Amino acid sequence: ANALNLNNIPFMGAQLRVGRPSKWNGPPDSHGNWEDILAKYMSGELQIGNTAPGQVAAAVASSSPASTYTQPPSRVVELQNMLSEDDLKNPDEYNDILEDTREECAQFGQLISVHIPRAGEPGATKIFLEYASNEDAGKAIQGLAGRTFDGRKVLATFVDEAKFARKDYS
């Protein structure tokens, strides 16, 4: 099962495909994404050492930043480390990022709005997601926190709804 962690790892100029046979009907395996595991290992957040076989995914799950919140739950989520100022300068690229974010983040629940401050504005490089409920926002944090995006580890936290309503994106 640990080999499943290697799915899509670059190998000799190609993406290595590692997975169960298409007709596999055994119990589901808990495994991580190799990029997330590598990022956690490189940051020192994940200590593998002499981890017993089958325990890597459990170690990754238990070290997930999504399990600790710095703000009380709310309907608004802030994503950091996904964008650079350069990503926001081109209007077409900005619109593509906005649409891609809307599509990806709608899978966690009823997404009401996505706000990405423009380059030079307060909060530029952050993404704000407004969901219909605290539960949907929590699902987004669980699903997005710790992911690797463009080589950077995504931070996902709740944001005070009143602050978001005031358009305080600092």
Side-chain angles (χ1 to χ4, degrees), residues 52-83:
Q55 298 301 310
V56 172
V60 171
S62 68
S63 67
S64 172
S67 60
T68 57
Y69 302 120
T70 57
Q71 287 285 333
S74 75
R75 296 179 311 109
V76 182
V77 175
E78 176 184 309
L79 303 177
Q80 294 181 36
N81 293 341
M82 287 185 60
L83 303 174

Side-chain angles (χ1 to χ4, degrees), residues 87-106:
D87 295 331
L88 303 173
K89 289 180 181 175
N90 180 324
D92 292 332
E93 189 171 348
Y94 175 89
N95 289 330
D96 287 344
I97 292 168
L98 192 61
E99 187 58 36
D100 290 347
T101 302
R102 185 173 285 116
E103 287 177 20
E104 177 69 19
C105 296

Side-chain angles (χ1 to χ4, degrees), residues 1-2 4 17-31:
N2 280 341
L4 297 175
R17 174 77 174 105
V18 179
R20 294 280 188 201
S22 60
K23 297 187 189 220
W24 171 261
N25 58 2
D29 290 312
S30 174
H31 59 85

Side-chain angles (χ1 to χ4, degrees), residues 1-2 5 47-60:
N2 280 341
N5 294 327
Q47 300 292 323
I48 295 179
N50 291 329
T51 305
Q55 298 301 310
V56 172
V60 171

Side-chain angles (χ1 to χ4, degrees), residues 35-152:
E35 290 179 320
D36 294 341
I37 292 170
L38 180 61
K40 289 176 189 234
Y41 178 75
M42 295 302 287
S43 71
E45 187 176 339
L46 176 65
Q47 300 292 323
I48 295 179
N50 291 329
T51 305
Q55 298 301 310
V56 172
V60 171
S62 68
S63 67
S64 172
S67 60
T68 57
Y69 302 120
T70 57
Q71 287 285 333
S74 75
R75 296 179 311 109
V76 182
V77 175
E78 176 184 309
L79 303 177
Q80 294 181 36
N81 293 341
M82 287 185 60
L83 303 174
S84 68
E85 288 273 345
D86 290 339
D87 295 331
L88 303 173
K89 289 180 181 175
N90 180 324
D92 292 332
E93 189 171 348
Y94 175 89
N95 289 330
D96 287 344
I97 292 168
L98 192 61
E99 187 58 36
D100 290 347
T101 302
R102 185 173 285 116
E103 287 177 20
E104 177 69 19
C105 296
Q107 71 181 341
F108 301 110
Q110 186 179 350
L111 185 62
I112 294 173
S113 69
V114 176
H115 181 73
I116 303 174
R118 300 264 185 183
E121 293 179 0
T125 74
K126 296 178 183 179
I127 299 175
F128 295 90
L129 310 170
E130 182 182 16
Y131 285 92
S133 69
N134 292 4
E135 292 78 21
D136 290 347
K139 289 178 198 172
I141 288 177
Q142 290 289 332
L144 297 168
R147 271 195 194 179
T148 303
F149 184 81
D150 202 20
R152 298 180 297 258

